[in-house]
Every structure is written in C-alpha cells, then in structure tokens.
Amino acid sequence: STLFEPGTHRPLVAAFFGGTGVGKSSLLNRLAGRAVARTGVERPTSREVSVYLHESIRIANLPQDFPMDQVRIAQHPDDARRQIMWVDMPDIDSVAQANRALVLDWLPHIDVLVYVVSPERYRDDLGWQLLRTHGRDHAWVFVLNQWDRGLEVQYDDFRQLLSAGGFVDPIVLRTDCREPADTRGTDDFSVLQNLLQEVSAVHLMRQLESRVAQSRFAALEDSLQRVMARLGDGGGYLDLVPSWNALWTAAQSDLMNGLEWPMRITAATFAGRDANPLSRPLDLAAPASESPSHSTPPTLWDAWADGRVADAVSQLVLDAGNRGLPPLPLKHSLAQASDALGRQVLNRGQLLLRQALALPGNSLQRLTLKCMGFLSVVLPLGALGWASVQVVKGYYDSATRHLDYLGTDFAVHSLLLIALAWLLPWFAYTRLKPSIETSALRGLRAGVHEALSAHEDNIQQELERLETRRRGLLNAADALLECSRAARRPDVEADRPSDLLRRMLSQERRTG
C-alpha cells in the first residue's frame, strides 16, 4: 500500500463500508472504545472519512490530489491494536455523488472491507454493484449490524446472496452496537475483533497482498486484451484505402456534375461585370440572398455538396466498423478533414479562376493570337506598300514613255487587296480570342477538381496517421501485457490461501 513509508510498520487497513443508517460509525466507536466517528444526527452531511490508528503510524505517499482535507484522524496509544488501522468511509448510497468518489479514491489502499448491512438493507443495490466490481481486490468480512432487529431467515438469505456473489462459506457476523452497552444482546463482536487480529499477522498479510496483486494483474491483462480486441487486427485502417478510393471516385464525379451549374452561373457573372472583373472580388461562398444584385451567383459549395461528402465519409466509417476497427476515432478525424473541404474548394476555385482570367486560353491559343495580331498589322502595311510602289512606277512609266496611267481597275484591286490583308488576320484574331466566361469556367473547374483530388489524398494521410496511432497503442498494450505476465509469477501462497482467507476472498472473476 502507498499509504505508509517504505520500511516502516505496515498495519492492516480495514474499512467499514455500507449504506446509510447501517451503523458503520457505531461499530467503529465500539471497536475503539470511544467516540471516534460521528453518529446519528452528528454525522456530517459533507463527505468525510474517519481514520483510527496507532499513534506511531504516519500516513504518507498519497497522490497530491488525494482529498486528505476530508479525513478525520483519531490516534490511540494501545499497542495491542497497533496492527490495524480502521477507516470509516462515507455512505455509498448517499445522495451526494462526491461520497461515492471518495470511497473509490480510498479503495486501492484498503486490505479488508468490512461490509456492514442492516436487516432491512442487506440487499442494497449500490453496495452490491461495488462489491461485484471490486470483490477480488480485497478480503471481505460481512457484518449484519443492528441484529436486535434481525431474523434468522434474513441471516440465511444474506449468506445465500453472498454465495451467489462468488464467496465460498462467507464470514457473516452479527453485531449489536446499541448504547448503552447493557442494552446489547449476545453477538459476534469479539469474533470480529479476533478475526481481524489474526488476519493482521505477517503470514496472512503476505498472503492477502499477494492474492490481491495477482487479482489486479489478471484484471489488468483482461482489460488490455479487451482494448486490443477493440483496436482490431490485420492491416487496420490501411485496409480502408481501396474502399475510400472507390467511394471518393464516385463522390467526386457526382460533385463535379452537381456543381457544374453553379460554376457556369459564377463564370457568367464574372463575364458580365465591368471591364476589370477582378476590381471587385466576388465571394463564391456568399448565398444569393445576401445581395440584392441579380448578378450575384449562387453559393458554389452548398449543403448538397456537404451532404455528398458526408455520405462518402459515413460509408467509410461503416466499413471500418464492419472490419472490426474503432469507428469513432475515424469518424472524428474524417469529420475534421471534411469540414475544411468546402473552404478549400472555394479558395482553390478563386485562385485558378483569377489565374485563368489573367492568362486566358492555352499557350497555343495565345501564340496564335499574337501571330494574328502581328499579321493584322504587317499584311495591310505590305499590301499598302505594294500598291504605293505600283503607283510610283506607273507614274514614272507614263511620264517617260507616254504610257497610260493607272486606271480605275488598279485602284479598286489595290483597295481590295489592302482590305483583305487586314480583314483576314483580324477575323481570325477575333474568332480565336477566348471569352472571359469560358476562361472563368475553365479555371473554376480546374480549381474544384484539384481541391477534390487533394481531399482524397488528405483522407489517405489521415488513415495512415490513424493506423500509426493504432499500431502504437497495440504495441504499448502488448508491452504492458508482457510486463504484467512477467510480474504475475506463480505464487504458492496466493494460489493456496489459508482457510480463513479463502472464506474472505471472492472466487468470482472480476468484472469491469
């Protein structure tokens, strides 16, 4: 027990445990021969533990948060009672839940629980619940107090109840702690005193400690094995990757098709704005109802899109449960990743839309446009230069050789040539120039697709992270299991307790 300094005297820690009004405090006062614990109307309604021990014993080594301020300590100089420390615990069935918590705080430090009941309340459900949970962690003595009001049929029924709870030939003592002492009837109080003195002997103490340690190691191993079973086996969360890929492929196709109309409306809205469509940023996440403007597009990422993503995640979580993997950590992790998807889609869509508007079309289109723009200038200039040369040459020939000067046909043909030299590249330039709407739609599609594809990778990374964590927990549990098995070596004294301890120990397997 951590109650006492190592190397110092180690007394038997016996605690009175039971419901309200069964006489635990009166029993302790009778053992002490004086009023150690408060009884009746004097008993505090706040949670409190009364401790009765020899003056040479010091309580130490308790956790820092242990409620020692709620402990009432009384000491005595009687060396005959030095071997036992008595503890009167709060009522387990009190309406104050703090009392139950205080009892559970003390339980690991107690060797023998004296379970006190009354003839009217020996079937207390709360007491039995704790008994069945911690039965193998302690030695038990059962006291049917207030026996002046009891019947033999109640005594026999109580023993049968204990036998059904895992006790072979349980020790059930009848006591009468009425005051004054001369009003008490014959009871087993002296048997209780002698029994606990016998258990406090070194040999039986060693047996009790060994048996309790073995029981706690076994309970620890059972708990670890249950935890490991709940964590699953095999490839774990990595086995879900192919399933997720199939689920997300279908979900991504549905999302791209379902978001096509909002993307088209958004692109058309950008194209219908002023000459500088980026001069007033457009919030793709703003619902149409937030603005009276008819040019505001609908929300690009809406509740339908969130629902479709949630469907894929739910199917993956269901698949994890069917494979025996813990679904809750997966559900929590995927929910956090999916909650950010809508914002990621909007951010990526905004970015690529703006990039598409800054550089409309593809590289071939932009090169062709540059060529057509160049030709729309060079070809008319070339045609005009050729016509000019012909005019000068005709004038020179007419003046020197008296030939006919250029006529109307030449003028018409020259004008047609110049017009065609300008018109053809200009027409090609205007037809090849990408529209703002087409560029915006192409950028939106690319942004949404990239964000959805990145989400698939993010979920795979979450699965890998969860699997790493799961493997770490399994390895830690396996290491603890090996340590427990190594510490729980065969102990002849624990496996073959004395007849007295055999009657005080529960044979039922610990639960919880």
Side-chain angles (χ1 to χ4, degrees):
S1 173
T2 58
L3 280 174
F4 313 102
E5 292 287 352
T8 61
H9 172 60
R10 161 73 162 92
L12 177 76
V13 181
F16 292 101
F17 160 72
T20 305
V22 297
K24 300 187 302 296
S25 299
S26 298
L27 191 59
L28 176 58
N29 290 340
R30 184 178 176 185
L31 282 166
R34 62 190 180 96
V36 174
R38 304 178 190 178
T39 62
V41 296
E42 298 180 27
R43 187 173 178 84
T45 56
S46 62
R47 37 184 199 159
E48 181 179 278
V49 173
S50 297
V51 177
Y52 184 57
L53 73 167
H54 192 266
E55 60 186 6
S56 65
I57 300 174
R58 296 290 182 269
I59 297 178
N61 295 334
L62 286 172
Q64 292 183 356
D65 58 348
F66 198 83
M68 286 299 295
D69 57 328
Q70 296 158 356
V71 178
R72 184 168 179 262
I73 298 178
Q75 295 180 310
H76 65 84
D78 188 357
D79 290 338
R81 299 180 180 182
R82 184 170 177 263
Q83 294 297 113
I84 304 175
M85 185 181 89
W86 302 95
V87 181
D88 178 26
M89 294 197 291
D91 303 330
I92 190 62
D93 59 352
S94 170
V95 293
Q97 293 296 323
N99 284 1
R100 183 179 179 87
L102 188 58
V103 169
L104 295 176
D105 285 338
W106 273 90
L107 273 179
H109 309 285
I110 294 169
D111 302 312
V112 178
L113 274 173
V114 182
Y115 185 44
V116 184
V117 297
S118 64
E120 296 86 2
R121 306 196 59 186
Y122 65 90
R123 284 183 171 269
D124 190 331
D125 289 338
L126 287 176
W128 271 111
Q129 182 180 358
L130 191 65
L131 171 64
R132 300 295 291 272
T133 303
H134 299 277
R136 288 180 60 88
D137 286 351
H138 311 277
W140 290 80
V141 175
F142 301 93
V143 175
L144 193 56
N145 199 25
Q146 302 171 356
W147 182 240
D148 55 297
R149 303 199 302 265
L151 301 172
E152 286 295 330
V153 66
Q154 294 171 321
Y155 174 79
D156 295 337
D157 184 53
F158 188 37
R159 286 183 60 87
Q160 292 178 4
L161 193 63
L162 294 173
S163 297
F167 289 91
V168 179
D169 191 17
I171 299 176
V172 181
L173 305 176
R174 291 160 285 195
T175 59
D176 179 4
C177 298
R178 287 178 294 172
E179 294 292 345
D182 56 8
T183 61
R184 300 169 186 162
T186 304
D187 62 5
D188 301 323
F189 180 76
S190 60
V191 178
L192 175 62
Q193 289 181 304
N194 295 334
L195 183 147
L196 292 177
Q197 286 292 339
E198 183 178 352
V199 175
S200 66
V202 176
H203 174 69
L204 293 185
M205 281 282 290
R206 186 182 301 114
Q207 278 194 337
L208 178 59
E209 289 179 342
S210 180
R211 177 61 181 268
V212 170
Q214 296 282 3
S215 173
R216 290 177 177 174
F217 278 127
L220 173 62
E221 292 171 17
D222 288 344
S223 298
L224 288 173
Q225 288 172 350
R226 286 196 299 272
V227 169
M228 294 173 72
R230 292 182 61 186
L231 288 174
D233 53 11
Y237 290 109
L238 293 182
D239 288 343
L240 297 174
V241 172
S243 177
W244 168 248
N245 291 337
L247 288 171
W248 191 245
T249 297
Q252 186 171 356
S253 176
D254 291 344
L255 288 169
M256 291 300 297
N257 292 331
L259 296 176
E260 179 66 19
W261 179 77
M263 287 191 291
R264 287 182 177 274
I265 298 299
T266 301
T269 302
F270 268 83
R273 303 174 79 197
D274 53 40
N276 183 8
L278 301 182
S279 61
R280 291 176 295 158
L282 183 63
D283 186 4
L284 302 183
S289 60
E290 292 184 2
S291 174
S293 174
H294 295 290
S295 63
T296 301
T299 305
L300 184 60
W301 188 266
D302 53 15
W304 173 85
D306 280 329
R308 186 62 184 89
V309 174
D311 289 342
V313 170
S314 297
Q315 293 180 47
L316 186 65
V317 172
L318 181 62
D319 189 15
N322 293 335
R323 294 172 183 264
L325 295 169
L328 290 182
L330 178 64
K331 181 178 180 180
H332 180 71
S333 179
L334 297 189
Q336 288 184 327
S338 299
D339 287 344
L341 177 58
R343 177 52 56 185
Q344 293 170 358
V345 167
L346 297 176
N347 290 341
R348 196 63 184 169
Q350 286 265 23
L351 176 61
L352 267 69
L353 181 148
R354 295 168 185 273
Q355 290 179 352
L357 292 178
L359 295 174
N362 53 42
S363 57
L364 180 60
Q365 281 182 303
R366 290 192 292 273
L367 178 61
T368 304
L369 286 175
K370 288 181 179 180
C371 292
M372 292 300 103
F374 175 76
L375 292 177
S376 65
V377 175
V378 173
L379 290 181
L381 288 177
L384 185 61
W386 178 83
S388 300
V389 171
Q390 295 301 320
V391 168
V392 173
K393 182 180 176 182
Y395 178 79
Y396 177 78
D397 290 340
S398 175
T400 57
R401 290 186 283 174
H402 304 284
L403 298 177
D404 294 336
Y405 194 59
L406 301 177
T408 305
D409 291 341
F410 173 79
V412 172
H413 293 161
S414 298
L415 290 176
L416 287 175
L417 178 63
I418 295 171
L420 288 174
W422 169 80
L423 182 62
L424 289 177
W426 175 84
F427 178 79
Y429 180 86
T430 57
R431 301 307 299 175
L432 292 175
K433 183 178 181 181
S435 67
I436 295 178
E437 180 178 348
T438 301
S439 299
L441 181 59
R442 178 175 54 83
L444 275 177
R445 284 174 179 167
V448 172
H449 186 272
E450 283 188 13
L452 295 179
S453 298
H455 184 65
E456 180 179 11
D457 297 335
N458 291 338
I459 297 300
Q460 290 188 21
Q461 293 176 4
E462 284 295 316
L463 292 175
E464 294 173 359
R465 185 186 65 81
L466 285 173
E467 178 58 21
T468 300
R469 182 182 176 189
R470 189 186 75 92
R471 286 291 176 186
L473 292 175
L474 283 173
N475 292 336
D478 190 59
L480 288 174
L481 195 60
E482 291 299 322
C483 290
S484 177
R485 288 170 178 168
R488 190 164 62 93
R489 294 184 294 271
D491 192 316
V492 176
E493 288 188 330
D495 294 338
R496 300 173 59 184
S498 67
D499 291 339
L500 177 59
L501 283 184
R502 181 180 59 82
R503 296 180 63 191
M504 300 174 67
L505 297 171
S506 171
Q507 304 303 313
E508 186 176 56
R509 188 175 186 84
R510 176 179 172 179
T511 60

